[in-house]
Amino acid sequence: MSSRYNHKVVEKKWQDIWAKHNVFKTSTDTKKEKYYVLEMFPYPSGRIHMGHVRNYTLGDVVARYKRMKGYSVLHPMGWDAFGLPAENAAMTENKHPEEWTYQNIKTMKSQLLQMGLSLDWEREIATCHPEYYKHEQKFFIDMFNAGLAYKKEAEVNWDPVDKTVLANEQVIDGRGWRSGALVEKKKLSQWFLKISKYSEELLSDLDHLTNWPNKVKVMQSNWIGKSIGAEINFKLSNQESFIKVFTTRPDTIFGATFLALSTKHELSIDISKDNKVLQKFIKECESLNPDKNKKGFDTGLFVNHPFIKGKKLPVYIANFVLKEYGLGAIFGCPAHDQRDLDFANEYNLDVIPVVKPNNIKESEFKIKDEAFTEDGLIINSDFLNGLVVEKAKDKIIEQIEKLKIGKKKINYKLRDWGISRQRFWGCPIPIIYREDGEIIAVEESELPVKLPDLKGFNETSTALNNIPDWKETVCPKTGLKAYRETDTFDTFFESSWYYFRYCNARLDKPFDKKDIDYWLPVDQYIGGIEHAILHLLYSRFFTKALRDLGYFSLDEPFKGLFTQGMVTHKTYRNNEGEWIEPKDISNDNGVLKDKNNIKVETGKIEKMSKSKKNVIDPNDIISSYGADTARWFMLSDSPPERDLQWTDTGIAASFKFINKLFEFIEKFKGFDSKNINNLELVDKQKDIINQISENIEAFQFNKSVAKIYEFVNNLNDALSGNKLSYEDFSWSLKKLAIILQPFVPHISEEIWSNIGNSTLCINQMWKKEGVKKKIKLKIAIQINGKTKQIIEVDESMSKEMVLSTVKDSEKIKKNLLGKNIIREIYVPGKIVNLVI
RNA sequence: GGGAGUAUGGCGGAACUGGUAGACGCGCCGGAUUCAAAAUCCGGUCACUUCGGUGGUGUGGGUUCGAUUCCCUCUACUCCUACCA
């Protein structure tokens, strides 16, 4: 495509000018109201992708707009720089992960610079830098001393391909989230953070996050998984010991017909020690899907029913009971729990209904294959009979507590955060193990515990445990031999506090409380929905933990959250089932073919991914069309929260628009007119400007884009219709430059300077336009709710005058011929509805 | 199984607290320009129509003077989660 507008020259020119004048350096004027815009920082994988372009464009619109609205804006950028890919690359490229990482940062930074983002690069951080991670080592020590970080033997998810421990959340359908390998179970001593201590606060504070998408709050709430129930002790018959169970349905206790333990329950393990059959059963359970087959092992033990004298319940070990939830033991009430019912039917256990639906007689109520889990009235339950479920719960818990056989209990699914990773390229955990067995934190003065400087990098380098020189040390206090903790932090550790560091990124402390008080919380955080649970929950926890450690008094880090949609693209597959890149496809008389002339079918529209070969490289787009075109396309059409479909025609349209904007500059040069000012146009344009403002504040950038098109179309119409004075044209271009600035900043500056300004457009104020009240109102005339005609009336006209005008209309007269008007409705400025 | 959400032209999507459905962009059709094409510009573009109108926002119903918008039913799709007792 050819054009006189040279985006390469123009965009570079403005980027240089912004840089030269330090335009995006964060204002330190604390008298101004602050606004903190943050996009989720990228992992330096090598090159930016379209997801980044979308994310950072959205953030940049907000940052530039708020700045023009007079806020002092913090808009920083950095790098989530630790992680596994660096190790993998280091092995194949025989480089140190550090070298690979910094090289990628350099490349990606230059790409971000080309996008013309209003970022304060003086606050750039990389989490792999010792000056960054030394602070989080200190946090960890504080947490360790406060009992928030602890070590425990835990069964972990072992990824045999990546040779690392994975968090529960990193296992998807039993496979590693990166490698896709089947995950094995392995026991290791691990570091944990006590996030569970904050379960209740993390849950209840969600209510205060009014600027978060409801979807995310629901996901976090489900993840925390609060449930209210009871702990009940069942005494083993003929023994003094008890089995403790957790239940959310204590009201169904009279319907209990068995107890079931997890295969990993202490008692199960105890019994299995000298029981070969049970050992075999437990082994079998590992490969049995409890969803399809509910299997149990009869222990031969019985417990006494706590409320029915003489009644004994058999104790089973069952494959469907989880060790990790509650107490790893349940009582089975088959009539009111589908899983229990399936199990009871398999082993011919009693089914005793204790809740009946309101509308069915007790004598007619039967349970067959379907458990009754809804509310109803309690039956067959002694002192609970006749109560509704909720009331019965309260009463039975009261009794349980009175008899001292249990208590009310609130249970959470949320488990402590395992932060140990057996990797090299991560932040070392600052702990030493002394030869006398003591586990002690590294002295603060010894921080940071830096990663070893390796010459080469190979298979054995992938864990610090394999580097004896680094591992062996001495205790500085006692001189005793010691060895270092060789685990590194989960990389979510770094991303849990980076938004604090931006407040003063070169400070010797992690941050200054004064700065946190001013800048935090983040006003607008923008990123992908994939971080809905982990990153956002960990960050919320970290904030609360640091607060309790005395660092500041902040409760929540992110006031506003926006989750953007994915960037998608059509996929193509040839007849041999191979994915084909769009650029390798040719159109042969309507038949799509690949490079080897094999027929290609169009597939589904999917998220851009290397494996589906439907990726468009932002670099190519920016170099052939420019950053403004790319940004404009990202903002057009699709609402930001929805998926954005990449199309060639879409990017071409954006390019066309940017060129059209440039045409205005050309037309303005030497523009001569004797026209009087076009007040109607100016009023219309002012109205549009205010609407654009509203749309930006509501995060509806696609609507802003549509309004800008209208502004431009109005201007164009007036221009070609010769209805524009010099003053109008100059005013319009000035306003145009301002409204374009957040979206397409380069062409905006170009327009701004070409109409004779020596200032920068980014430094202008975005003012609210005073719009004159319209005197003429357009009113739709309806008959029985169907619009028949649109008329203009004077605003000052009374209802009676409007109605008589309406009835004078020839068209309406015709419609009313021979009919009686039953009712007349007038909504000022909107409609007249005549009911006949 | 549980939870959340979506459904409007050929396509992406507009329509403020119920009040002119289809803004804006793409595509398509016609025209101008051109030796021709691309690019550009102008006009048209929900469907049916006897050109008076009539129908139309996934389905069926309801509330209302009036429903894309509120309520109920069903259907389809998307996402999250999953034996959580």
Side-chain angles (χ1 to χ4, degrees), chain A residues 434-494:
Chain A
R434 225 160 52 191
E435 59 180 338
D436 62 359
E438 287 292 304
I439 301 176
I440 53 173
V442 172
E443 290 288 309
E444 217 180 295
S445 58
E446 305 271 310
L447 296 182
V449 178
K450 283 193 197 170
L451 286 168
D453 234 344
L454 294 183
K455 290 285 172 286
F457 197 85
N458 55 41
E459 294 278 343
T460 57
S461 323
T462 59
L464 291 171
N465 198 27
N466 301 335
I467 306 168
D469 282 356
W470 184 86
K471 190 179 166 184
E472 287 157 14
T473 184
V474 281
C475 171
K477 272 187 185 162
T478 58
L480 288 169
K481 271 192 200 162
Y483 65 90
R484 293 189 184 283
E485 171 60 78
T486 57
D487 286 353
T488 49
F489 287 139
D490 175 7
T491 55
F492 279 119
F493 205 95
E494 283 84 57

Side-chain angles (χ1 to χ4, degrees), chain A residues 447-566:
Chain A
L447 296 182
V449 178
K450 283 193 197 170
L451 286 168
D453 234 344
L454 294 183
K455 290 285 172 286
F457 197 85
N458 55 41
E459 294 278 343
T460 57
S461 323
T462 59
L464 291 171
N465 198 27
N466 301 335
I467 306 168
D469 282 356
W470 184 86
K471 190 179 166 184
E472 287 157 14
T473 184
V474 281
C475 171
K477 272 187 185 162
T478 58
L480 288 169
K481 271 192 200 162
Y483 65 90
R484 293 189 184 283
E485 171 60 78
T486 57
D487 286 353
T488 49
F489 287 139
D490 175 7
T491 55
F492 279 119
F493 205 95
E494 283 84 57
S495 56
S496 291
W497 72 281
Y498 75 107
Y499 45 89
F500 295 129
R501 185 64 179 160
Y502 284 136
C503 292
N504 196 339
R506 302 290 173 265
L507 195 69
D508 196 36
K509 298 186 288 181
F511 43 74
D512 204 314
K513 184 174 176 297
K514 244 190 8 254
D515 293 325
I516 302 292
D517 289 345
Y518 179 68
W519 286 114
L520 271 285
V522 173
D523 294 278
Q524 188 63 64
Y525 196 27
I526 308 168
I529 185 78
E530 65 274 18
H531 292 111
I533 299 173
L534 302 180
H535 162 60
L536 290 169
L537 195 62
Y538 293 152
S539 296
R540 295 181 60 219
F541 156 67
F542 233 78
T543 302
K544 291 171 192 304
L546 292 181
R547 173 200 64 195
D548 290 349
L549 291 168
Y551 280 94
F552 44 63
S553 54
L554 186 73
D555 294 320
E556 287 287 340
F558 311 123
K559 188 172 166 212
L561 174 70
F562 189 90
T563 51
Q564 94 225 28
M566 299 179 296

Side-chain angles (χ1 to χ4, degrees), chain A residues 573-580 594 596 598-601:
Chain A
R573 264 186 141 156
N574 71 10
N575 281 355
E576 288 161 15
E578 293 164 324
W579 300 101
I580 305 298
D594 71 8
N596 305 318
I598 302 174
K599 206 179 150 199
V600 171
E601 300 281 348

